Amino acid sequence: MAIGFNPMMMGGMNMMGGMGMMGGMSQMFMMMQMMQMMQMMMSMMGQMSGGQMNGGCGCGHQGLGGAMGMPGPGGYPGGYPMPMPMPMPGYPPMGGYPPFSGGHNAPPIGPGALRNATPTGRRLAQSIMNSPVPPNCRPGYCYRGVKHHLRQVGVNLTGGSAYQAADQLAQRPDRFREVSVSRDQLRQLPPGAVVVWNRSSGKPHGHISIATGDGREASDKIRNQITNRAASYRVFIPR
Amino acid sequence: MSEVLSYLSQEQRESLNDLPFAVLLPAGLPSGWSVEGIDFDGDEEGASFALKLVSGTKTCAFLTSNEGIGDAVPGVKQTVHKHPEYGAIKVEHEEDGSILSDWIEVENGWSAVGGNGLNETDLNQLIPQLVCF
């Protein structure tokens, strides 16, 4: 037998339910186990491509499992126990929200872009430093804060939730260039770089911020650049 | 239920009827807390509401909005508070003392609890009292 029989994989199924021959039943179990192993492998592939790896993109595009319409952890239409995918430290599941629809092919940021501030980036950073917290911007209104500062450089964003900014910024190649940045590099971003975090489990709005150029970010307040959020992200450098 | 929202003035209670969304507010206030004020901002992009409370140096805001929202960022500590209707509500505590809870969907908007200087005891007193108005 290439694959050992694991009674734990049978959870909830009536062993004799409708099966007349033991031979047919063991073949069915083998097939079930093979299918479950394939699903587990596909889920793991989806997890690996769903988060930012060093040097990779942060867009969280869907892995093979998701692309094939396979269910995520916690549910399988057949009623069989779905093996939990192996967790990748720091890169938990997206919580049922779709991955970012774009940004998969963003080029890696070059060392020059990390060092140099662009004129728009400098203006954005200046806007933040002059008025770190815009009027009526309270905790949790990061998108409102970033909208306010981007308006100062002629970029008008719409939508209620922070994650919605990513596609809009991607559609402004005249003002922003999307790049792929590792989590390690997030605190080295030049002033004015916009980081948009996707939705994730229990976090339906995502997060957005503007880099100040000194390892911090500004949105509803100025804080150290977030790098450990359990979600994928996209980065836009002002031109 | 005559004591619900008794910490608000008649005018403040009536103003809740004019909001474009439902709001989550504490039915009553724990001792030591008082109302600092109510803010409402609205324009073509959206609207936001905040009931601001104070207790000594602690501030707490019951927020509701339908525009410009982002989720709490990972803080130095996360606490979880049980609510009879909404279940476990997580709160992120940042190193400067500011806090923000999960956003909870209400009719036409999202509500959360924000503030500064609140500890776990404060949140355990305030969050279970949240009622949708």
Side-chain angles (χ1 to χ4, degrees), chain A residues 97 136 138-145 147 151 157-163 198-208 217 220-224 226 228-230, chain B residues 39 41 45-50 52 61 63-75 78 90 92 94-103 110 114-116:
Chain A
Y97 291 113
N136 306 319
R138 296 180 180 283
Y141 294 159
C142 61
Y143 193 27
R144 184 171 304 171
K147 278 181 182 177
R151 225 174 275 131
L157 299 177
T158 61
S161 301
Y163 77 94
N198 200 4
R199 297 176 286 178
S200 58
S201 178
K203 307 290 182 193
H205 304 288
H207 177 62
I208 186 169
E217 62 167 56
D220 53 350
K221 64 189 275 191
I222 294 180
R223 56 169 69 85
N224 288 331
I226 299 300
N228 61 344
R229 195 179 179 87
Chain B
D39 284 347
D41 301 297
E45 286 188 52
S48 63
F49 166 94
K52 300 177 294 182
L63 311 164
T64 302
S65 185
N66 56 16
E67 187 271 329
I69 304 172
D71 292 308
V73 301
Q78 185 186 75
K90 292 192 280 293
E92 292 287 349
E94 295 195 58
E95 57 189 356
D96 64 356
S98 63
I99 62 115
L100 181 65
S101 74
D102 290 338
W103 287 95
W110 296 82
N116 196 285

Side-chain angles (χ1 to χ4, degrees), chain B residues 17-40:
Chain B
N17 297 326
D18 301 325
L19 297 174
F21 36 57
V23 290
L24 278 186
L25 300 176
L29 295 190
S31 71
W33 287 91
S34 60
V35 175
E36 189 183 64
I38 287 179
D39 284 347
F40 177 78

Side-chain angles (χ1 to χ4, degrees), chain B residues 11 31 33 51 54 59 62 80:
Chain B
E11 186 183 1
S31 71
W33 287 91
L51 166 65
V54 291
T59 61
F62 294 88
V80 181

Side-chain angles (χ1 to χ4, degrees), chain A residues 72-93:
Chain A
Y76 182 64
Y80 305 126
M82 178 68 183
M84 291 297 289
M86 187 181 294
M88 296 290 287
Y91 309 102

Side-chain angles (χ1 to χ4, degrees), chain A residues 44-214:
Chain A
M44 288 169 64
M45 290 168 71
Q47 289 269 304
M48 284 188 276
S49 63
Q52 172 84 30
M53 306 295 284
N54 284 352
C57 77
C59 57
H61 50 265
Q62 211 158 13
L64 181 60
M68 293 180 67
M70 302 302 289
Y76 182 64
Y80 305 126
M82 178 68 183
M84 291 297 289
M86 187 181 294
M88 296 290 287
Y91 309 102
M94 297 303 165
Y97 291 113
F100 277 130
S101 58
H104 316 312
N105 300 318
I109 191 168
L114 278 176
R115 276 196 304 268
N116 298 326
T118 62
T120 304
R122 276 195 290 269
R123 280 179 60 200
L124 260 176
Q126 194 65 46
S127 170
I128 295 162
M129 294 306 180
N130 288 343
S131 168
V133 182
N136 306 319
C137 188
R138 296 180 180 283
Y141 294 159
C142 61
Y143 193 27
R144 184 171 304 171
V146 169
K147 278 181 182 177
H148 171 83
H149 291 298
L150 286 176
R151 225 174 275 131
Q152 315 304 313
V153 296
V155 176
N156 292 309
L157 299 177
T158 61
S161 301
Y163 77 94
Q164 295 175 297
D167 285 345
Q168 296 175 63
L169 292 171
Q171 289 169 8
R172 291 299 304 269
D174 56 323
R175 304 310 297 269
F176 287 95
R177 179 170 62 93
E178 184 166 8
V179 292
S180 172
V181 174
S182 73
R183 287 182 188 252
D184 293 340
Q185 292 174 312
L186 285 173
R187 289 194 174 152
Q188 301 165 37
L189 287 172
V194 181
V195 181
V196 185
W197 295 85
N198 200 4
R199 297 176 286 178
S200 58
S201 178
K203 307 290 182 193
H205 304 288
H207 177 62
I208 186 169
S209 61
I210 298 173
T212 57
D214 58 1

